[in-house]
Amino acid sequence: MRPARRNNSERLNLFGSTVWVMVGNGAYLLFGFVANLVIVRTIAASDYGRLSVALAIMTVLQEVVGGGLDVAMVRFASQYWRTDPHMANTVLRQSFWLKLIANGVVTLLLWLLAPTLAVLVLGDAQLTGPLRWAAIGVIGTSLVNFQLAVMQAQEVFARYAAYRAFANGMKLLLLLVLVRTSTLNLATALFASTGLALATYLMGYAFAPSKFLRANPASSLIQVGKTLLGFGGWVIAGNLLFNLYARFDVLFLQRFAPAQVASYSVACGVVFLMDLTTFSVMTALLPHSGRLASTSDYSEYLRSTLLRCGLIALVLTPLFLLAGPLLRLMFSSRYDSSVHIFRILFWGPLVSLMVYPLSLILYARHKPSAVTLSNFVQFLFAIAGYVSLGPRFGSEGIATSAVAGRFAGGATLALLVLRELKHAATLRPLPVALKSEVPVV
C-alpha cells in the first residue's frame, strides 16, 4: 500500500503544481495585457512602434541565449535535488555563471552595435536608444527567467506563481504611477519594459533561496557547461523552430491575403491561451520527469500524464462551441470571421496538449535532439501547406496548414517517445558529464 500512497501523493502534488503554474501564468498575462494597453493609449504611435521593435529584438536574443539553458538546468538540477543536494546546487550555481556570461556578452554587443543596427539595418537612427534599452532588457529578463527556473527546479511552485505574477505586476504598477504623474513617454516606457527587470531579478531573492551561489561546486564550470550547452543547444533549436512555425503563418497570410490578418490574429490570440495550458503542464512536470529512472517510472508517467492532459482537454472542449459569443464579448462583432478560423486552429493546441508533455520522457532519456526533430517536421509540414494552400484559400488554408503541422509534429513526437520506451529496458541513459557514475535503467 505504501507505493500506492506515494503515487497518489505524487499525483496530488503534480496537480497542485500545475494549478499554481496556470494561476501564475494567467496573472502574468493579465498584468502584461493591461500594461501594454496603458502604453498604447498614452504614447505616440511612432514611439510605440519603436518600443515594439526593441522588445521584439530583446525577446529573440533572450530566447537564443537563455531559454534552452533554463530547461537544461531544471532537467539536471531536479535529477539530483532529492538525492544529492550538493550536486543540484552545483548545477544551479554553474548555470547562473553561464547565463551571466552569455547574456553579458550579448548585452555588450547589442549596446555597442545599436547605432549601426538602427541606421544601416532598421533605417531609423532614433532606434539607437530603444536598442540600448533592449540590451539591458536581455540580461535583466534572462536573470528573471533564471530565478523562475530555480524555483521550478526546487519545485516551489506557489512561489513560482507569485514571482511570475510579480514580474508584470511591478511593471503595471510603475506604468500607472507614470500615467498619474504625466511622465509616461517612450523613455519611461522602455525603462518599465526592460530596465525594471534588473530590479525585479534582485527582488526575486525574496522568493527563491540563493544558498547555491555560495556553495563549493562539485564539478567545474567547464564540465557542467558542456553538459548544459550540449543539452540546451538542442532545446534552443527546437524552440526556435516552434517560434518560426508560430509566426510564419501571419507572415504568409500578410503576403497572400493582408485583409484577413487581423481576424486571423484574433483567433491566434485565443489559441495562445490554450498553448499556455500546455506550457504550464510541462513547467510543472519537468522537475518530476528529471527523476524518471526505470521502466515502471516511464510507464506511470505516460499513464498519469495522458490522463491529466485528457481531463484538461475535456475542460477546454467547450471553447469550440462557445467561440462565437466569447470572441464577440472580447473583441466585438467586427471579428465574427475569427470564429471560423479559431475552430479550425482549435485542434492544433489540443493535439499539442496531449502529446507535448510526453516529450519530457525524451528529455529524461537525454534525447533533446528527438524533440527538435519533431519540431522540424512540424515546421516543414506547415510551410508546405502555407505555400500550397495559402494563395488559394487565404486564412482558411493557412489555419489548416498550421493544424496539419501540429498533427505531423505530434505524430512524430509520439512515435519517438514510444520507440524510446520500447528500448528503455535494455538501454543505459546516455552519459551525463556531471558525475562519474551512470545509473542503470
Side-chain angles (χ1 to χ4, degrees):
M1 293 300 293
R2 287 181 181 176
R5 287 198 194 101
R6 283 199 297 270
N7 286 339
N8 290 334
S9 176
E10 187 76 20
R11 290 192 194 101
L12 287 174
N13 288 336
L14 290 174
F15 175 77
S17 299
T18 304
V19 171
W20 275 119
V21 175
M22 287 183 179
V23 169
N25 286 336
Y28 176 86
L29 280 177
L30 177 62
F31 292 152
F33 175 79
V34 177
N36 189 60
L37 199 61
V38 170
I39 294 174
V40 169
R41 293 187 173 185
T42 305
I43 69 174
S46 58
D47 285 341
Y48 181 72
R50 294 186 180 100
L51 173 67
S52 299
V53 170
L55 293 181
I57 292 174
M58 180 191 78
T59 301
V60 170
L61 291 176
Q62 189 275 324
E63 175 61 37
V64 169
V65 296
L69 286 177
D70 289 336
V71 172
M73 181 189 78
V74 174
R75 182 259 181 266
F76 292 114
S78 61
Q79 177 181 348
Y80 297 110
W81 190 251
R82 296 184 181 180
T83 58
D84 190 349
H86 183 53
M87 192 64 226
N89 281 325
T90 292
V91 175
L92 298 179
R93 181 183 186 276
Q94 307 299 48
S95 297
F96 170 79
W97 288 111
L98 282 172
K99 288 205 70 172
L100 190 63
I101 292 169
N103 286 277
V105 170
V106 171
T107 293
L108 180 61
L109 287 175
L110 182 55
W111 180 279
L112 294 175
L113 295 174
T116 302
L117 290 173
V119 175
L120 298 183
V121 178
L122 300 172
D124 183 359
Q126 294 186 57
L127 277 170
T128 299
L131 288 179
R132 283 180 166 164
W133 276 112
I136 297 172
V138 167
I139 194 167
T141 56
S142 181
L143 289 173
V144 168
N145 288 337
F146 174 79
Q147 290 280 36
L148 287 167
V150 169
M151 295 178 221
Q152 184 183 1
Q154 298 174 347
E155 298 182 83
V156 286
F157 285 106
R159 296 181 189 177
Y160 177 101
Y163 186 58
R164 180 83 163 146
F166 175 80
N168 264 356
M170 284 280 292
K171 175 182 175 181
L172 176 58
L173 180 62
L174 175 59
L175 289 171
L176 292 175
V177 171
L178 292 171
V179 169
R180 181 69 177 175
T181 57
S182 301
T183 54
L184 180 56
N185 50 40
L186 177 59
T188 53
L190 281 164
F191 172 76
S193 302
T194 60
L196 185 63
L198 286 172
T200 304
Y201 160 70
L202 293 174
M203 294 177 188
Y205 285 109
F207 296 83
S210 58
K211 293 180 180 179
F212 62 87
L213 290 175
R214 300 185 295 275
N216 292 321
S219 298
S220 70
L221 182 63
I222 294 176
Q223 188 178 23
V224 175
K226 286 181 179 179
T227 300
L228 294 178
L229 293 174
F231 189 98
W234 284 110
V235 178
I236 289 171
N239 288 345
L240 181 60
L241 285 168
F242 186 86
N243 286 329
L244 290 175
Y245 154 83
R247 285 166 174 76
F248 272 28
D249 52 355
V250 173
L251 296 179
F252 273 90
L253 189 60
Q254 176 65 34
R255 175 68 177 83
F256 300 134
Q260 300 175 23
V261 170
S263 60
Y264 184 89
S265 297
V266 165
C268 287
V270 183
V271 166
F272 172 75
L273 296 178
M274 296 178 66
D275 279 329
L276 188 65
T277 302
T278 303
F279 170 75
S280 299
V281 171
M282 294 181 68
T283 298
L285 292 180
L286 179 57
H288 171 69
S289 68
R291 296 188 294 271
L292 300 179
S294 67
T295 52
S296 60
D297 288 343
Y298 293 126
S299 298
E300 170 61 24
Y301 177 86
L302 184 67
R303 286 193 299 269
S304 62
T305 301
L306 287 175
L307 176 61
R308 183 180 297 108
C309 293
L311 292 174
I312 295 174
L314 285 176
V315 173
L316 293 176
T317 298
L319 286 175
F320 185 87
L321 301 174
L322 299 174
L326 180 64
L327 289 177
R328 291 187 194 100
L329 176 65
M330 295 174 63
F331 302 101
S332 82
S333 58
R334 290 185 299 168
Y335 294 100
D336 280 350
S337 57
S338 300
V339 176
H340 176 58
I341 299 303
F342 168 75
R343 285 176 173 158
I344 296 175
L345 292 170
F346 172 84
W347 304 106
L350 215 60
V351 168
S352 296
L353 173 62
M354 295 302 301
V355 178
Y356 274 43
L358 302 183
S359 67
L360 299 182
I361 291 176
L362 297 172
Y363 284 170
R365 299 289 300 168
H366 207 67
K367 298 289 181 66
S369 57
V371 181
T372 303
L373 175 60
S374 69
N375 284 330
F376 182 65
V377 171
Q378 175 178 271
F379 177 74
L380 285 183
F381 266 76
I383 292 295
Y386 298 157
V387 173
S388 58
L389 299 180
R392 183 175 178 183
F393 299 104
S395 58
E396 286 188 350
I398 295 292
T400 301
S401 302
V403 173
R406 296 255 194 169
F407 272 83
T412 302
L413 185 59
L415 289 173
L416 290 171
V417 169
L418 291 175
R419 178 179 178 275
E420 192 64 27
L421 290 178
K422 181 179 179 181
H423 299 290
T426 57
L427 292 179
R428 290 170 176 262
L430 295 183
V432 177
L434 293 176
K435 302 186 75 174
S436 57
E437 65 269 18
V438 179
V440 177
V441 175

